[in-house]
Amino acid sequence: MFKSFAKPQSSSGVLTFIRGKRISATNPATERIVQQLSVLAAGRKQPKLLNLSNEDIVKHRTIMSAWKLFTRKKKRAEQEQLNQQYESICNAMNDLKETSPALFELASHKEKRLRFPLEMRFPTEYPPNRPWVYNFTGPVKKRK
Amino acid sequence: MSKVFIRQFSKTGISLKPGYSTVHPVHHLVKVEKSNLKPSLKELLVPHDDITSIKYRPYEIDQDRIAEHYTNTLKSDLMLNLYQYDADTIPANPKRSWGVDSPYKLYRPLKKPLGSIRTRGQIKPVTAKNIPEITGVTVHSYNKKALVEPWLDITTRLQVATLTNVKPKQLFAKRNLVEFKLRKGKPVGGKVELTGRDMTQFLSTLIELVLPRIRTFKGIKNSSGDKKGNITFGLTNEDMQFFPEIEAFQDLYPNMNGLHITIKTSASNDEQARTLLSAYGFPFTNA
């Protein structure tokens, strides 16, 4: 937009004009909010569109389709494994029911509030010196 | 036989009647976005995952260890732990009819579901195909101070954007309430719906950096949940300082606002959802 001319500034009672100096009609607090709003707004933040040559586009698409194929195969294999695991759980429970009803009772008993241990962590690039505590017993519960 | 095209007072000829089409008009039913037809806007029609699109953004740029841990370890563990022998589908608990023997009952608003206020969908037994997973996270920040000082709305939205790396949607007040100084349509904060990489990034920050450092945080309440497998909890404005995005620049954010975080899961009831979240490292308490 057009530059607004500087308003007369009074310093020590004398008005001084500064020609062409850009002044803001806002106080610093408002300016801060305007800045925050400009951070949220999309204007001028769009990264430049990659200008790829035809060869590069073909390369990129080939790599991406190969990557898609790879992930699809991986997912299918994971699902296959889960299906097999589920089937073996069912088979084991059926077997247990016939061979040992007492053990079957124990196996089919469900905890009311099933929680994973809080000590469980997501794997990291820098694991602790003792990554797995083999004789872990869990927190000691106090009896009331 | 030739028709006579003379209009008389006694009769009106068929040939003079304006004809009408028996074909239903569709021109006003088919919505056409004219901007899509404009040749200069052709590049907007390219799908966003295509590299030639102006909206292209590469997502898979690094390892997603949260998602990998879920698929590699948690998924099979959850399947085993949630397995129930000979389990049947528990039918849904919908709102009930009052009866059809009188028009008064017929048009009355439906009765509450049996033994509950809220409805519940059917609960299917967990198999290899429907293991519960986190489908999305909603981060919602409602700033009631923004009703008095409108600029706080901008600050709140910026805060949500900083925490989640997604541009938040504007929230508006829904109704007029004098006691809360509510005016319908006033901007009161922002919310984002996170999925995919943004979601796992936010979850890992929350689980590993923020929640362990909040001294007052005892855990998510065991009673939290909407009966459909979505768990909500809140963080106060004092807890915001533990987010690493804000930690180093605390003087830039003098007016922090609390968050409501809803973790949406594909579990069919809350108890399964809690089990899933506990596997992610969220603590739960009765208090």
Side-chain angles (χ1 to χ4, degrees):
Chain A
M1 293 301 287
F2 300 108
K3 254 183 183 178
S4 59
F5 281 107
K7 279 178 188 169
Q9 291 173 339
S10 72
S11 57
S12 67
V14 186
L15 292 177
T16 50
F17 289 95
I18 302 161
R19 195 171 177 193
K21 192 192 176 187
R22 198 184 179 131
I23 54 130
S24 60
T26 53
N27 56 336
T30 315
E31 259 178 30
R32 197 168 170 165
I33 299 301
V34 170
Q35 198 186 3
Q36 287 184 355
L37 196 59
S38 75
V39 171
L40 272 172
R44 291 185 201 166
K45 274 178 220 62
Q46 182 115 353
K48 225 177 175 184
L49 179 66
L50 288 173
N51 247 336
L52 298 179
S53 65
N54 260 347
E55 194 188 336
D56 281 354
I57 288 176
V58 170
K59 252 188 210 170
H60 175 83
R61 284 188 181 148
T62 314
I63 292 168
M64 285 314 284
S65 55
W67 173 247
K68 264 185 192 170
L69 193 69
F70 173 74
T71 45
R72 200 187 304 152
K73 274 184 184 168
K74 207 172 140 191
K75 266 188 186 174
R76 199 171 289 166
E78 277 161 10
Q79 190 57 47
E80 189 86 346
Q81 196 189 3
L82 279 174
N83 290 342
Q84 286 172 3
Q85 282 173 345
Y86 183 72
E87 208 172 299
S88 60
I89 292 171
C90 294
N91 289 339
M93 287 298 274
N94 284 329
D95 274 3
L96 206 58
K97 199 179 181 185
E98 286 169 15
T99 50
S100 165
L103 280 177
F104 175 78
E105 276 288 299
L106 276 173
S108 54
H109 172 254
K110 280 286 140 199
E111 264 184 69
K112 203 180 177 189
R113 275 179 179 164
L114 186 64
R115 300 282 183 265
F116 279 66
L118 257 185
E119 289 78 6
M120 227 168 110
R121 291 269 177 271
F122 288 107
T124 51
E125 272 187 53
Y126 302 97
N129 293 330
R130 264 178 79 203
W132 194 259
V133 184
Y134 283 94
N135 50 0
F136 178 75
T137 48
V140 184
K141 279 180 185 174
K142 281 179 189 172
R143 282 190 178 177
K144 282 173 187 175
Chain B
M1 199 182 140
S2 63
K3 284 178 184 174
V4 185
F5 290 101
I6 299 162
R7 197 166 175 195
Q8 293 176 327
F9 287 113
S10 56
K11 62 172 185 182
T12 311
I14 297 162
S15 57
L16 290 176
K17 274 191 180 169
Y20 65 93
S21 168
T22 51
V23 181
H24 228 63
V26 290
H27 61 272
H28 57 275
L29 299 175
V30 180
K31 278 183 184 170
V32 176
E33 220 175 295
K34 290 221 169 165
S35 64
N36 286 351
L37 302 173
K38 216 174 169 186
S40 62
L41 295 174
K42 221 172 202 173
E43 55 190 17
L44 286 176
L45 297 176
V46 182
H48 295 176
D49 60 339
D50 195 312
I51 199 164
T52 55
S53 162
I54 56 165
K55 290 229 172 179
Y56 177 75
R57 195 181 144 198
Y59 279 98
E60 290 172 78
I61 46 170
D62 60 348
Q63 196 183 10
D64 192 349
R65 62 194 182 89
I66 305 288
E68 273 180 22
H69 180 57
Y70 175 74
T71 47
N72 295 342
T73 313
L74 298 181
K75 221 171 175 185
S76 53
D77 283 6
L78 279 163
M79 183 176 71
L80 179 61
N81 278 308
L82 297 173
Y83 172 81
Q84 268 191 316
Y85 184 78
D86 237 11
D88 288 323
T89 305
I90 302 168
N93 194 9
K95 285 188 175 178
R96 295 169 295 160
S97 160
W98 290 93
V100 287
D101 50 332
S102 91
Y104 170 68
K105 284 179 179 173
L106 198 59
Y107 296 113
R108 203 176 162 188
L110 291 172
K111 215 196 290 189
K112 277 188 295 187
L114 195 68
S116 173
I117 306 166
R118 280 180 285 175
T119 55
R120 170 176 60 68
Q122 63 175 1
I123 300 172
K124 285 182 181 171
V126 174
T127 63
K129 275 169 193 153
N130 62 349
I131 303 165
E133 58 175 355
I134 297 182
T135 51
V137 172
T138 309
V139 181
H140 181 285
S141 189
Y142 174 93
N143 195 346
K144 63 180 174 189
K145 286 177 198 157
L147 293 165
V148 188
E149 307 237 17
W151 57 271
L152 274 171
D153 162 63
I154 295 163
T155 317
T156 311
R157 274 189 294 139
L158 182 66
Q159 177 203 326
V160 176
T162 315
L163 296 181
T164 59
N165 196 26
V166 178
K167 188 176 175 177
K169 279 186 180 172
Q170 176 76 64
L171 290 177
F172 297 104
K174 281 182 183 168
R175 53 178 78 85
N176 293 315
L177 277 176
V178 180
E179 53 265 38
F180 298 138
K181 291 176 184 169
L182 272 178
R183 299 287 304 198
K184 195 178 175 182
K186 266 208 167 192
V188 281
K191 75 160 183 179
V192 290
E193 309 257 350
L194 301 173
T195 49
R197 294 278 169 142
D198 295 322
M199 179 186 81
T200 47
Q201 178 60 49
F202 183 73
L203 278 179
S204 72
T205 318
L206 203 63
I207 296 159
E208 290 173 344
L209 298 173
V210 180
L211 296 185
R213 289 156 75 196
I214 301 172
R215 293 192 170 213
T216 50
F217 185 73
K218 296 270 168 58
I220 305 171
K221 278 181 188 170
N222 267 323
S223 56
S224 170
D226 68 344
K227 298 211 166 191
K228 287 164 190 170
N230 307 317
I231 309 285
T232 308
F233 64 98
L235 294 179
T236 62
N237 53 351
E238 282 147 23
D239 303 338
M240 292 301 111
Q241 58 178 311
F242 298 118
F243 278 94
E245 293 90 348
I246 281 170
E247 201 180 7
F249 314 101
Q250 279 187 44
D251 49 335
L252 283 177
Y253 297 92
N255 303 293
M256 299 304 286
N257 194 40
L259 303 176
H260 277 122
I261 298 162
T262 305
I263 298 169
K264 297 187 276 186
T265 68
S266 65
S268 48
N269 61 350
D270 286 351
E271 194 43 46
Q272 278 179 13
R274 273 178 225 123
T275 307
L276 170 66
L277 290 200
S278 77
Y280 272 76
F282 285 102
F284 281 89
T285 52
N286 283 328

